[in-house]
């Protein structure tokens, strides 16, 4: 069973709220979030209500301020708990929208998309197996995008505004 605790102040101080299931709007529980403790499960925290906006992938551990979870600000407005996935992983990347253009299939983590794919712009993808996290920059840095199995015909389908993917990794029980 997963549990996440949101604190309004840094270093786990101030008003806090404990959550053990998906929450579409945290505003009725906390006004803002400056630190987080995850005591179980894999979580995706979102900047906006209803699982929208910037996404932050959080595994078990302590995050004493918003920079430690790669946050852009202290605003967390929704969160989702994801069950551990222990199966195989497979995705296909395309350099054109609608699953068109050059395609490359991956089954493992990729710290630098340009070096392996020879394209910086990823316009669409098909997540065939497993949960994946895309990062805006190489070496798992920048904005994060959580993807579950399905077709993403344009990059906006996974929440980004431009098609640049610098790196990606499988979302495993231990990240």
């Amino acid at each position: 069973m997963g549990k996440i605790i949101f604190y309004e102040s840094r270093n786990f101080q101030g008003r806090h709220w404990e959550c053990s299931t998906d929450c579409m709007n945290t505003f009725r529980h906390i006004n803002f979030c400056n630190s987080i403790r995850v005591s179980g499960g894999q979580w995706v925290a979102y900047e906006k209500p209803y699982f929208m906006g910037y996404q932050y992938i959080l595994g078990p551990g302590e995050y004493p301020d918003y920079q430690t979870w790669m946050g852009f600000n202290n605003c967390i407005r929704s969160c989702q708990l994801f069950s551990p996935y222990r199966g195989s992983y497979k995705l296909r990347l395309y350099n054109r929208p609608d699953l068109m253009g050059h395609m490359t299939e991956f089954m493992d983590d990729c710290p630098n998309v340009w070096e392996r794919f020879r394209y910086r712009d990823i316009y669409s993808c098909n997540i065939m197996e497993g949960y994946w996290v895309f990062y805006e920059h190489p070496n798992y840095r920048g904005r994060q995008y959580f993807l579950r199995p399905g077709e993403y015909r344009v990059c906006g389908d996974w929440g980004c505004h431009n098609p640049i993917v610098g790196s990606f990794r499988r979302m495993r029980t231990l990240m």
Side-chain angles (χ1 to χ4, degrees), residues 37-43 58-63 173-175:
R37 264 194 187 114
V38 177
S39 62
Q42 295 286 326
W43 292 84
L58 303 168
E62 295 191 339
Y63 305 86
T173 303
L174 298 172
M175 290 187 54

Side-chain angles (χ1 to χ4, degrees), residues 94-101 122-125 152-155:
Y94 300 86
N95 70 334
R96 296 282 174 246
D98 294 318
L99 310 176
M100 302 292 284
I122 307 300
Y123 283 89
S124 57
C125 70
Y152 298 82
R153 297 194 159 275
V154 293
C155 62

Side-chain angles (χ1 to χ4, degrees), residues 26-159:
T26 63
F27 189 69
R28 60 188 189 158
H29 305 288
I30 56 170
N31 294 321
F32 44 87
C33 181
N34 275 298
S35 55
I36 297 174
R37 264 194 187 114
V38 177
S39 62
Q42 295 286 326
W43 292 84
V44 180
Y46 298 85
E47 176 195 31
K48 296 181 180 179
Y50 306 103
F51 317 119
M52 304 292 287
Y54 295 138
Q55 303 171 21
Y56 307 108
I57 314 306
L58 303 168
E62 295 191 339
Y63 305 86
D65 61 52
Y66 66 84
Q67 285 105 357
T68 57
W69 70 74
M70 297 197 304
F72 291 96
N73 56 46
N74 64 1
C75 188
I76 298 292
R77 289 289 169 246
S78 55
C79 63
Q80 288 181 301
L81 171 65
F82 286 88
S83 302
Y85 178 78
R86 301 191 195 287
S88 58
Y89 293 81
K90 186 174 6 176
L91 69 81
R92 290 182 178 161
L93 299 178
Y94 300 86
N95 70 334
R96 296 282 174 246
D98 294 318
L99 310 176
M100 302 292 284
H102 183 73
M103 182 276 293
T104 301
E105 188 170 285
F106 292 91
M107 297 172 71
D108 58 350
D109 300 349
C110 179
N112 192 315
V113 171
W114 170 253
E115 288 178 2
R116 293 207 28 214
F117 190 57
R118 292 296 175 216
Y119 291 96
R120 228 184 340 239
D121 297 343
I122 307 300
Y123 283 89
S124 57
C125 70
N126 184 0
I127 305 297
M128 301 166 78
E129 297 177 73
Y131 298 135
W132 294 80
V133 182
F134 283 6
Y135 294 84
E136 182 179 33
H137 301 296
N139 299 312
Y140 316 114
R141 295 179 302 112
R143 291 187 176 110
Q144 306 168 42
Y145 304 99
F146 175 72
L147 291 89
R148 56 186 71 109
E151 291 183 349
Y152 298 82
R153 297 194 159 275
V154 293
C155 62
D157 289 349
W158 65 77

